[in-house]
């Protein structure tokens, strides 16, 4: 009965499909979010120093002293920023001898990007609806 109703009302059917696709996307997003804690990621990204550190790591893998060098702070202070980035899983650490090399973890960044893209679509749809409404009023 419900299927016949949906077939007779293609607009409702399309809305149901969109909802299902959105639900699948949200489920995938939730699975990905469990792997990467978005609260920790956005907390880490809230600091301009840490964002600059990530930008330098986007170019190539670096040792900690190399990452800390451009900033006017002690190595201990830079290490605290790096620990925040590591806790958010935004960077990977590789030990080689007495040196620690850090690299950007693109998968964690993608997790945050997916979250932003999901809500970007929501706001774009809302803005499109507002635009249509304003055009009708004119």
């Amino acid at each position: 009965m419900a299927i016949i109703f949906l077939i007779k009302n293609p607009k409702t059917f399309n809305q149901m499909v969109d909802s299902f696709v959105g639900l699948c996307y949200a489920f995938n997003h939730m699975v990905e979010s469990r792997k990467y804690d978005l609260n920790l990621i956005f907390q880490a990204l809230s600091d301009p120093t840490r964002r600059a550190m990530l930008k330098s790591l986007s170019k190539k893998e670096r040792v900690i002293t190399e990452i800390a060098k451009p900033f006017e702070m002690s190595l201990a202070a830079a290490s605290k920023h790096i620990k925040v980035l590591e806790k958010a899983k935004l960077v990977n650490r590789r030990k080689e001898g007495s040196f620690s090399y850090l690299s950007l973890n693109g998968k964690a960044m993608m997790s945050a990007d997916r979250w932003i893209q999901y809500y970007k679509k929501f706001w774009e749809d809302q803005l499109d609806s507002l635009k249509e409404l304003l055009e009708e009023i004119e």
Side-chain angles (χ1 to χ4, degrees), residues 110-121:
M110 286 301 294
S111 175
D113 182 58
R114 280 189 206 111
W115 186 87
I116 290 170
Q117 292 303 319
Y118 177 79
Y119 287 101
K120 180 181 174 187
K121 182 186 176 319

Side-chain angles (χ1 to χ4, degrees), residues 6-136:
L6 291 174
I7 292 172
K8 285 184 177 179
N9 298 302
K11 187 175 179 181
T12 305
F13 179 74
N14 289 338
Q15 289 172 341
M16 294 284 290
V17 169
D18 286 346
S19 297
F20 179 73
V21 170
L23 186 63
C24 290
Y25 182 84
F27 178 73
N28 287 337
H29 174 72
M30 287 169 33
V31 169
E32 189 67 25
S33 295
R34 288 186 188 148
K35 194 172 183 180
Y36 300 105
D37 188 331
L38 289 175
N39 291 336
L40 293 176
I41 290 172
F42 286 116
Q43 178 189 7
L45 294 175
S46 69
D47 184 90
T49 301
R50 291 191 287 266
R51 289 193 305 269
M53 289 176 164
L54 288 173
K55 187 173 183 179
S56 76
L57 288 171
S58 69
K59 297 171 187 161
K60 68 175 191 175
E61 181 182 68
R62 296 180 190 271
V63 293
I64 292 176
T65 52
E66 207 178 347
I67 295 168
K69 193 175 182 180
F71 305 100
E72 294 182 20
M73 64 177 62
S74 68
L75 189 58
S79 291
K80 286 183 181 178
H81 282 291
I82 290 167
K83 284 182 181 175
V84 172
L85 294 172
E86 286 181 311
K87 188 176 178 183
K89 300 180 182 176
L90 287 167
V91 296
N92 296 316
R93 182 187 292 251
R94 178 179 65 84
K95 293 261 317 176
E96 190 174 306
S98 59
F99 293 100
S100 287
Y101 292 88
L102 296 174
S103 61
L104 185 68
N105 180 2
K107 290 180 181 176
M109 293 294 283
M110 286 301 294
S111 175
D113 182 58
R114 280 189 206 111
W115 186 87
I116 290 170
Q117 292 303 319
Y118 177 79
Y119 287 101
K120 180 181 174 187
K121 182 186 176 319
F122 170 77
W123 284 110
E124 285 176 345
D125 290 346
Q126 296 297 317
L127 290 173
D128 287 343
S129 296
L130 179 61
K131 181 182 175 187
E132 288 173 14
L133 181 66
L134 291 173
E135 287 172 353
E136 285 176 18

